[in-house]
């Protein structure tokens, strides 16, 4: 094997508090686990102990647990090992994470939303645990699909891709996803890409043919270890055309020679542009070095994209090593994977459904906020009833155990039911309004739920605004105006006063069918809120 060239130093080494993943020069601040409560000032009436925030993971030895600087162990499913593993960063207290971004040639669909919401939750949870995270998510703005779409629309490919990159970022804001630490684009990193290809050729893992450069998979015996495929079973990937000039049909393009009318960049092999896979190897190395913690994306990227990334990166640098390969599942439509190529996709902006559940959460917190606003915080006692403390501890245990188990968010959301019900009891029932330390209990419960929603990326900037937005979406979906709904409520109220209960029930069912739920309060008033339409409930 030829001598390996010097591996890249990450470009963000100065910006990220001296995190130098390639040179291993580390300056680490004292690491403190982040408790679920930001403050431990609230205590139970019968105990001076703070609420339980973490438990030793079942099956983890005391010795193993002591090696982790955090208050609990985070288990993540690693596609490479095909099992859940305890997360151990390469640098204590710091995490490098690269997630493959979109190929920007159209509006993003809800399959994309699932990818980036998944990794947004992981990003948030790692930060919640106290890690300093460098999160890199790229844009593919040079690609066959972009060029083809630009020709259809008569646009410049780079300009078209730039426009859809901006649209994507708007969608991420809409989904409450945090921006990554950096969002590199292929068109801005041609120097790094060309340098990596040179390195791979010098190390005798690639060959050039008439201006094209191909990776020689036969030179990399470990090819297929991520996907579990045997080399003889592999085929060219989705974006790799069959080429008789290849030494092996599975060889994939690192550089493509320029074709007439297409954008190109100069290189030692002539004008052209990079293949699909090399971009992520070059950009992840540029920002995180060759050895970092997490590489993620959708399951469809396991092969060929991530398989090829591993081969390229290892061929360019002997020290290349990524600890955890993490992939989220597909969104399916009629048992088929959602994709633009199949034409069975819905864009993020077509998501007009507003669930009854999320509206209920925000309405409860909105009502709670209204009550708490009427009380001086300085006048509150630092104690809450034992039953409230027990409920808080119970939820916190569920939160930690579920999130630490491969981000099992559905269990966390389900566990919100009891504390939300308790808040509503304290707010609206006669018994709840008379409970001792009622305001202190509401304060503690609201804070607990708010902290959980922050970690899940579900905390809105304003309860009032989000409730209005969800209501407007429900009305659009139902093809009704709010005035029409209010007239239906008046009609139903009149029917009930006349004891015309069949008519009253018919109005309720009519609205429920289109996703408008009617809520009758003890004082006789009726309000409405978004609900899942009956047809969707049946499905």
């Amino acid at each position: 094997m030829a001598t390996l060239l010097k591996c890249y130093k990450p470009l963000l080494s100065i910006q990220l508090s001296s995190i130098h993943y390639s040179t291993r020069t580390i300056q680490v601040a004292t690491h403190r686990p982040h408790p679920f409560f930001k403050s431990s000032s609230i205590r139970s009436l019968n105990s001076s102990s703070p609420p339980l925030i973490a438990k030793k993971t079942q099956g983890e030895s005391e010795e193993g647990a002591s090696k982790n600087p955090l208050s609990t162990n985070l288990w993540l499913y690693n596609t490479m090992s095909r099992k859940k593993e305890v997360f151990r960063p390469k640098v204590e207290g710091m995490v490098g994470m690269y997630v493959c971004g979109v190929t920007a040639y159209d509006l993003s669909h809800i399959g994309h939303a699932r990818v980036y919401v998944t990794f947004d939750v992981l990003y948030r949870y790692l930060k919640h645990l106290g890690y300093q995270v460098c999160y890199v998510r790229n844009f593919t703005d040079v690609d066959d699909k972009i060029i083809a779409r630009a020709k259809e629309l008569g646009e410049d490919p780079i300009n078209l891709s730039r426009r859809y990159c901006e649209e994507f970022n708007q969608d991420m804001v809409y989904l409450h996803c945090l921006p990554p630490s950096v969002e590199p684009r292929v068109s801005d990193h041609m120097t790094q890409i060309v340098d990596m290809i040179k390195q791979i050729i010098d190390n005798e893992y690639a060959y050039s043919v008439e201006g094209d450069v191909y990776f020689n998979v036969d030179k990399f015996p470990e090819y297929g270890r991520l996907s579990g495929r045997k080399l003889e079973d592999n085929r060219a990937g989705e974006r790799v055309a069959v080429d008789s000039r290849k030494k092996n049909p599975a060889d994939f393009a690192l550089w493509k020679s320029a074709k007439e009318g297409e954008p190109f960049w100069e290189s030692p092999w002539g004008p052209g542009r990079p293949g699909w896979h090399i971009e992520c190897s070059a950009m992840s190395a540029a920002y995180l070095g060759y050895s970092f913690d997490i590489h993620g994306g959708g399951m469809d990227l396991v092969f060929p994209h991530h398989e090829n990334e591993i081969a390229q990166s290892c061929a360019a640098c002997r020290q290349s090593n990524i600890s955890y390969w993490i992939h989220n599942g597909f969104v399916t439509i009629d048992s088929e994977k959602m994709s633009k190529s199949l034409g069975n996709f819905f864009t993020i902006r077509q998501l007009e459904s507003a669930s009854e559940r999320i509206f209920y959460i925000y309405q409860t917190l909105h009502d709670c906020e209204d009550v708490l606003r009427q009380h001086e915080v300085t006048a509150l006692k630092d104690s809450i009833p034992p039953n409230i403390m027990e409920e808080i501890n119970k939820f916190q245990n569920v939160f930690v155990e579920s999130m630490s188990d491969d981000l099992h968010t559905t269990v966390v959301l389900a566990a919100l039911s009891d504390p939300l019900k308790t808040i509503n009891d304290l707010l609206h029932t006669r018994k709840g309004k008379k409970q001792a330390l009622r305001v202190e209990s509401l304060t503690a419960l609201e804070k607990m739920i708010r902290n959980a929603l922050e970690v899940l990326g579900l905390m809105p900037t304003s309860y009032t605004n989000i409730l209005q937005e969800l209501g407007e979406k429900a009305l659009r979906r139902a093809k009704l105006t709010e005035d029409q709904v209010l007239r239906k409520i008046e009609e139903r109220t009149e029917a009930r006063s006349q004891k015309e209960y069949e008519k009253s029930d018919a109005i309720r069912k009519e609205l429920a069918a289109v996703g408008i739920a009617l809520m009758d309060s003890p004082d006789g008033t009726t309000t409405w809120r978004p609900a899942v339409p009956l047809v969707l409930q049946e499905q």
Side-chain angles (χ1 to χ4, degrees), residues 101-105 138-147 156-165 183-190 193 239 263 265 273-274 276 279 283:
V102 294
T103 299
Y105 70 97
N138 76 296
F139 279 119
T140 296
D141 62 349
V142 179
D143 182 80
D144 293 343
K145 293 184 177 182
I146 296 171
I147 294 169
D156 173 75
I158 298 298
N159 288 340
L160 175 137
S161 184
R162 184 178 296 114
R163 175 160 57 86
Y164 281 117
C165 288
E183 290 186 289
R185 303 187 186 196
V186 176
S187 60
D188 295 329
H189 292 78
M190 288 300 167
I193 290 170
R239 308 189 190 193
W265 289 260
R273 54 191 172 85
W276 175 35
E279 62 185 61
M283 288 188 286

Side-chain angles (χ1 to χ4, degrees), residues 215-264:
F215 187 92
N216 189 340
V217 295
D218 289 321
K219 290 291 187 73
F220 191 70
E222 293 183 308
Y223 190 79
R225 61 177 175 165
L226 180 68
S227 61
R229 292 169 177 256
K230 295 180 180 178
L231 186 57
E232 57 269 24
D233 297 332
N234 286 331
R235 56 177 177 79
E238 292 179 3
R239 308 189 190 193
V240 182
V242 176
D243 191 336
S244 60
R245 300 174 302 164
K246 294 180 181 180
K247 295 180 179 180
N248 185 312
D251 291 350
F252 54 91
L254 302 177
W255 189 260
K256 299 180 177 182
S257 58
K259 296 181 178 62
E260 186 176 352
E262 295 184 354
F264 64 87

Side-chain angles (χ1 to χ4, degrees), residues 488-508 518-527:
K488 287 286 185 183
I489 291 175
E490 290 176 4
E491 185 181 344
R492 176 174 173 268
T493 301
E494 177 63 23
R496 294 174 72 193
S497 69
Q498 299 298 323
K499 299 185 179 181
E500 297 175 353
Y501 298 120
E502 287 188 8
K503 182 178 180 180
S504 170
D505 290 343
I507 293 172
R508 177 191 283 274
L518 299 185
M519 314 301 296
D520 297 321
S521 65
D523 62 8
T525 59
T526 301
T527 57

